[in-house]
Amino acid sequence: EKLSFLRHDVNNHVGLIMAAMEMIQFKPDTTEKMLASILDQVPKITGAIAKFSGAFEKSYGITRP
């Protein structure tokens, strides 16, 4: 279930990145606004992965040195 949520979250964020890139391509005057949107997605993706990784490691008793 958590893997499903991770996939969903990451796909949503990547979809927003793709939409912003298309806007830039077709409406270059939106570049500044769209770049800000793209940059907002990066920490959301890394956060979703970190949250999943933490839960995964906890479930399987994985510890880091």
Side-chain angles (χ1 to χ4, degrees):
E1 184 178 305
K2 289 182 182 190
L3 180 58
S4 176
F5 285 127
L6 173 66
R7 277 194 308 260
H8 177 62
D9 286 348
V10 171
N11 283 333
N12 281 343
H13 298 308
V14 171
L16 289 172
I17 291 170
M18 292 301 299
M21 294 300 294
E22 288 178 5
M23 284 291 292
I24 290 170
Q25 185 178 19
F26 295 110
K27 292 188 175 190
D29 58 311
T30 65
T31 298
E32 189 173 334
K33 183 179 178 184
M34 293 299 108
L35 285 177
S37 177
I38 291 168
L39 290 173
D40 287 344
Q41 301 314 307
V42 175
K44 292 177 182 179
I45 292 170
T46 57
I49 292 170
K51 182 178 176 182
F52 173 80
S53 295
F56 182 87
E57 290 170 357
K58 184 177 179 181
S59 293
Y60 290 96
I62 299 170
T63 58
R64 297 179 186 205

